[in-house]
Amino acid sequence: MVEGSTTAGLHSMLAAARFQHFPRAIDEAVYEQAAYAPAFPTLSVERSFALYIPSPRYFFLGGGQQRRLAERLEYGMQLLVADGRFDQLFHEFYDDLIEKAGLRKRRIFRLDQ
């Protein structure tokens, strides 16, 4: 197994053929391909399949009011899910990315942890 401590380092190791690929979230893959294209012109994103690996997104809170803030955030997220606004916001922010990445045309492999 090869480990890297920075995204730039991973791209350098990929270019040096230390490994053949490394997984990225779809938003990371699209952004990084554009950002690193000048330094790594052969960098590409796989287009025929995708790995679906369920993974949570976390909020990290600090300060004296963290418990109250965490409760308010959880309550607010539950309200958004319950009334459908979470899905609306998700589609507003991610549908263009999903289309750009061609996810609907790919074969999806689900990897459960």
Side-chain angles (χ1 to χ4, degrees), residues 49-97:
F49 71 89
L51 301 177
Y52 172 63
I53 306 169
S55 57
R57 296 284 179 140
Y58 294 99
F59 292 94
F60 291 95
L61 308 170
Q65 298 291 325
Q66 63 189 6
R67 180 176 297 245
R68 175 76 174 129
L69 180 56
E71 290 169 354
R72 303 255 317 145
L73 282 169
E74 183 176 2
Y75 176 74
M77 292 296 284
Q78 289 172 349
L79 286 177
L80 289 172
V81 169
D83 70 11
R85 287 183 290 164
F86 180 86
D87 285 342
Q88 179 184 354
L89 288 167
F90 178 88
H91 289 291
E92 181 181 330
F93 285 95
Y94 287 101
D95 278 357
D96 287 344
L97 177 64

